[in-house]
Amino acid sequence: MSASLPQIRKGRQSYALPPALWAQGFAKLISLHIYGKSKMARNRTRSLKQQFRYAIVDSSFKEHLDKHSLRNANENDNTWRVYSYSEKNNLMDLSSNFCKFLKEEHTEVKQLKDITEVHVQEFLNFKADVCTTETLYNYRSRFRKIALCINHAFNSCSLKISNVVIPQSLVGKSKRNLTMTEEHASLLLNYCKNSDAKAAIGVRFALMFGLRVSEVTKIMGKDIDLEKMTLHIHKSKGGLSRDIPIAKVHLEFLKGIKNQFDENQRICPLKNNSINTFIYRVFKLHGIKDYKDARTSVHAIRKLWAQKLYDRLRHSGKTIKEACEEVSIQLGHGKDRKDVVNRYISNIW
């Protein structure tokens, strides 16, 4: 008994299909299904969120993977691997929030290779309004892991997070973190220019060089070097000395100071608290109580000075890391004191 031919149905009628034609049609159908689907997959552009998922979950996460066995197997680099469900979920949650931020603020970013550490910095700055410092540190740590996953999954990507700095959190912000405004600083400077008070000179030095109040009251005529164009700060906090560059805009004022004071004469021979009291009194005359209420004055000036210096350095082409290090040094702190930078620079970009 001969085997029945394959049937093809059209409406209510069935027709026998010759074996050769059936085989040819079936092969074509399989070809279209496999290669057509593959071609569609290549042509389809993944969304940013899908790209993150591919890098974090599909490429870097594997169930029941033991990191200790990988170490024993002498795998050269497994820093990109995601070992636990909790880590995977945390990375995906952060990437999802980051995608929403990019969609609103940087619509030009369509692929992971378009992302830079500047975008990450802007995201952390945005989150500083609602997140604690601890949370911001966790975010940066997770971004570093995400960058490793991305760079492993996509050869076209080389994302680095090394220069990203933790911004100052506004959650639970203390009053002493108050930064003097440009308007108030200008008001204070104009008052000091027309004042004969000893404190007025000290305040002008604080405004020009971002000095501590204890540094202002110790400056002598010999500390101003107009040949090298530097102001020497001798044994300040922690016994550290430093030289601060003198901008040309301050040259005429400092020449007058050099002519007015002897080499070993203190320029502002007052107690530290006298400088603060003078600033409070000037602002009180103009109905401003913010700084006295916050118990800060020269410190608020230092914060403004630090932000302005950072902005100039960034505009001159310095990276975030380079600008932060330079600010920290000129403030009289160490080179790698990121905790100091967080207190003084409110807008890291």
Side-chain angles (χ1 to χ4, degrees):
M1 183 175 179
S2 60
S4 60
L5 293 173
Q7 303 288 311
I8 183 171
R9 189 174 185 85
K10 185 176 181 181
R12 295 184 178 181
Q13 303 295 324
S14 297
Y15 301 89
L17 191 66
L21 187 58
W22 176 268
Q24 182 181 354
F26 184 73
K28 186 174 182 179
L29 182 64
I30 293 297
S31 176
L32 285 172
H33 177 72
I34 296 177
Y35 296 106
K37 186 175 182 180
S38 176
K39 185 176 181 180
M40 287 175 62
R42 287 197 303 269
N43 292 337
R44 185 178 69 246
T45 301
R46 292 190 182 104
S47 68
L48 206 55
K49 190 172 182 179
Q50 290 172 330
Q51 293 174 54
F52 271 113
R53 182 173 184 81
Y54 177 80
I56 297 169
V57 181
D58 299 341
S59 297
S60 304
F61 175 73
K62 186 176 181 180
E63 290 182 297
H64 312 304
L65 189 64
D66 182 11
K67 67 170 66 176
H68 301 292
S69 64
L70 290 175
R71 289 173 183 170
N72 295 333
N74 294 322
E75 183 172 316
N76 293 329
D77 179 21
N78 54 25
T79 55
W80 52 271
R81 291 189 180 277
V82 178
Y83 296 99
S84 66
Y85 279 97
S86 62
E87 183 181 21
K88 179 198 72 172
N89 293 335
N90 287 334
L91 297 181
M92 283 303 302
D93 286 343
L94 178 58
S95 67
S96 178
N97 288 330
F98 189 43
C99 285
K100 293 178 182 177
F101 171 79
L102 292 174
K103 186 176 181 180
E104 294 177 359
E105 302 295 332
H106 292 281
T107 55
E108 75 280 2
V109 176
K110 301 297 183 184
Q111 296 183 348
L112 294 183
K113 66 180 181 180
D114 299 329
I115 297 174
T116 68
E117 61 182 5
V118 174
H119 297 128
V120 176
Q121 185 68 66
E122 289 180 5
F123 175 79
L124 293 181
N125 293 346
F126 172 74
K127 285 295 184 179
D129 291 343
V130 294
C131 294
T132 63
T133 300
E134 182 180 1
T135 300
L136 294 174
Y137 271 101
N138 287 335
Y139 280 170
R140 184 177 65 175
S141 177
R142 290 169 190 170
F143 268 120
R144 287 174 175 170
K145 184 69 173 186
I146 289 174
L148 293 173
C149 296
I150 290 173
N151 296 339
H152 171 76
F154 298 99
N155 293 330
S156 60
C157 296
S158 57
L159 179 59
K160 295 180 180 179
I161 313 295
S162 57
N163 291 324
V164 172
V165 178
I166 302 299
Q168 186 181 54
S169 172
L170 299 182
V171 177
K173 182 177 178 181
S174 66
K175 288 185 176 181
R176 196 167 186 266
N177 282 331
L178 186 66
T179 301
M180 187 168 291
T181 65
E182 287 273 15
E183 181 183 359
H184 291 168
S186 296
L187 184 152
L188 184 60
L189 177 60
N190 290 332
Y191 185 93
C192 291
K193 285 181 178 180
N194 299 298
S195 173
D196 295 328
K198 293 179 180 179
I201 296 177
V203 171
R204 292 186 69 174
F205 269 84
L207 288 165
M208 286 189 291
F209 299 103
L211 304 179
R212 299 180 178 95
V213 66
S214 60
E215 295 169 344
V216 167
T217 57
K218 292 179 182 178
I219 297 174
M220 295 184 179
K222 63 182 179 182
D223 295 325
I224 303 171
D225 192 332
L226 298 181
E227 291 185 2
K228 295 181 179 179
M229 293 292 285
T230 58
L231 175 68
H232 181 69
I233 305 300
H234 183 67
K235 290 187 177 180
S236 183
K237 188 175 181 179
L240 299 176
S241 299
R242 69 187 188 279
D243 291 324
I244 304 175
I246 294 175
K248 291 183 179 180
V249 69
H250 303 315
L251 192 56
E252 289 302 317
F253 169 73
L254 294 176
K255 284 180 179 179
I257 294 295
K258 288 284 285 184
N259 293 330
Q260 184 179 349
F261 295 90
D262 295 334
E263 290 291 284
N264 293 313
Q265 184 180 1
R266 288 168 63 196
I267 291 171
C268 184
L270 297 172
K271 293 182 179 179
N272 296 347
N273 193 52
S274 297
I275 305 289
N276 294 324
T277 302
F278 173 81
I279 295 174
Y280 296 149
R281 187 166 63 247
V282 172
F283 283 134
K284 184 179 179 181
L285 292 174
H286 294 83
I288 301 170
K289 300 179 180 180
D290 307 48
Y291 305 101
K292 186 174 183 180
D293 291 345
R295 300 175 63 84
T296 183
S297 55
V298 174
H299 188 71
I301 293 174
R302 273 168 63 81
K303 287 172 65 65
L304 172 63
W305 183 89
Q307 182 67 62
K308 291 169 69 175
L309 174 60
Y310 174 83
D311 292 340
R312 288 199 304 272
L313 292 170
R314 290 288 284 131
H315 284 303
S316 70
K318 297 284 188 181
T319 64
I320 292 175
K321 184 178 181 180
E322 291 170 342
C324 287
E325 288 178 348
E326 182 64 25
V327 170
S328 182
I329 291 171
Q330 292 204 32
L331 283 172
H333 298 283
K335 183 177 180 180
D336 297 318
R337 293 288 303 277
K338 290 185 177 180
D339 58 319
V340 173
V341 173
N342 295 341
R343 293 200 300 269
Y344 283 92
I345 306 175
S346 58
N347 181 27
I348 298 174
W349 52 276

